[in-house]
Amino acid sequence: KKDLYGHAFVILALAAASGRVAKTLRGEMDGAAAETIRLVMGEFRDGGGGFVRYRSRDLRRDLDEKRTQNPVMHLFEALCEAAGAEGLSAGTRDAARQAAEEVFGFVSQELYDKRRRCIPEYYDREWRPLGEDDGGRVDIGHQFEWSYLLRVSPMGQTGEAACMMDALLEFGIENGMNKKTGAVKSDVNSADSEPIVWWVQCEAIRAASFAGRACSEAAGRMLSFAREHFWDAECGGFYGSVTPEGRPVNTDKGSVWKAGYHETGMLLSLSSSHQP
């Protein structure tokens, strides 16, 4: 089968690397990025204006049992990266920007819950949010991740995107952060005893840090918790999860779903000269 999530990261990698390779390779990379954008925007769309995560290998059949916002978020991330990638051609950057605007339009109009000021995680095939009994939830980490991605996106200063990114950040802090310790839980309904997960903590730190002075205190507490409990000062690396008190659930630091993406992204963002 074909996975939208994987295709999104192909675009992200090509865009990020395009300005850092020999000029002789840029034409090939540009062509690959443009073709992947065209493929995704043409073949992974569904009848409701959204995106299918899984299609059959020949792309003819929709294999989703339910819809999810996660690959849509990473597609938006990749398209925004491509829209600003100086190593890509003007035509490819324009196509990426237009596609990113389409994705944002779908998310803002169809997925964003204006009443609750959040983006649910799972939907039926008609993009209706699933209830808790059917596996629906509001993922705290993705509220923070969306907030950061919108803030650094080409449309981050527009009225609608600006309102969304602030609302999502506020929702994450209010519903996910332990005000005393700075630990960030995974789900709105996570029990107080459930583990704190590294990627959620990292995305919360990044989003709050880039929001400026209004969230500086929250960002500081989140970062302190990560430094004290997720970072292995002796051997390096981040633990995957810790108890709410900060003890590692286990000492594994890598897996197929933990390849250093979130902690590296957080650290690069914090060290960026673009940080407010």
Side-chain angles (χ1 to χ4, degrees):
K1 60 188 175 184
K2 298 292 187 181
D3 186 351
L4 175 61
Y5 188 95
H7 284 71
F9 279 98
V10 169
I11 297 169
L12 181 67
L14 289 167
S18 63
R20 299 176 172 87
V21 298
K23 291 183 178 180
T24 54
L25 296 175
R26 290 183 185 176
E28 183 178 358
M29 294 178 72
D30 181 77
E35 176 62 16
T36 309
I37 292 169
R38 184 206 63 77
L39 176 71
V40 164
M41 298 304 293
E43 301 295 339
F44 280 88
R45 302 299 287 270
D46 65 14
F51 295 84
V52 176
R53 173 160 187 179
Y54 294 116
R55 282 201 174 277
S56 58
R57 190 166 180 80
D58 61 8
L59 297 172
R60 294 180 181 179
R61 290 182 293 120
D62 176 352
L63 302 181
D64 282 356
E65 295 181 358
K66 59 186 176 184
R67 300 286 193 243
T68 172
Q69 70 79 35
N70 193 18
V72 179
M73 178 185 70
H74 285 297
L75 176 60
F76 178 76
E77 174 187 24
L79 292 170
C80 289
E81 180 78 21
E86 295 183 0
L88 299 180
S89 67
T92 299
R93 293 199 305 270
D94 289 343
R97 178 183 289 272
Q98 180 179 341
E101 291 173 352
E102 288 183 34
V103 173
F104 172 70
F106 170 72
V107 172
S108 63
Q109 296 303 312
E110 302 298 332
L111 304 191
Y112 179 57
D113 186 330
K114 296 179 176 63
R115 181 182 63 83
R116 298 179 68 191
R117 293 158 62 90
C118 64
I119 298 176
E121 193 69 17
Y122 292 114
Y123 308 77
D124 66 16
R125 288 165 63 96
E126 304 302 320
W127 289 103
R128 293 182 291 255
L130 296 180
E132 290 182 27
D133 292 342
D134 295 317
R137 69 171 191 257
V138 176
D139 196 310
I140 292 294
H142 287 148
Q143 311 309 307
F144 285 115
E145 199 164 0
W146 264 114
S147 177
Y148 170 78
L149 293 175
L150 286 170
R151 196 173 299 277
V152 299
S153 74
M155 60 282 295
Q157 303 306 312
T158 63
E160 189 171 20
C163 290
M164 268 185 66
M165 67 190 187
D166 288 339
L168 292 169
L169 178 59
E170 291 170 7
F171 182 94
I173 291 174
E174 183 63 28
N175 293 279
M177 175 185 160
N178 183 309
K179 306 303 187 297
K180 183 177 180 180
T181 67
V184 181
K185 64 182 183 179
S186 296
D187 181 85
V188 167
N189 296 319
S190 292
D192 291 340
S193 59
E194 291 186 27
I196 308 301
V197 180
W198 99 100
W199 78 264
V200 177
Q201 193 76 24
C202 289
E203 293 301 335
I205 292 167
R206 183 162 71 162
S209 297
F210 265 69
R213 292 182 179 179
C215 294
S216 60
E217 182 177 349
R221 290 183 182 181
M222 294 172 182
L223 184 57
S224 292
F225 185 89
R227 281 174 169 163
E228 292 173 17
H229 304 299
F230 276 102
W231 176 252
D232 181 349
E234 181 180 357
C235 300
F238 273 54
Y239 296 115
S241 59
V242 300
T243 66
E245 296 75 30
R247 296 186 301 274
V249 173
N250 62 59
T251 57
D252 295 344
K253 296 181 194 144
S255 71
V256 68
W257 284 109
K258 187 180 182 298
Y261 169 77
H262 292 280
E263 55 265 50
T264 304
M266 175 197 71
L267 293 168
L268 287 172
S269 296
L270 291 177
S271 65
S272 169
S273 60
H274 301 294
Q275 182 187 354

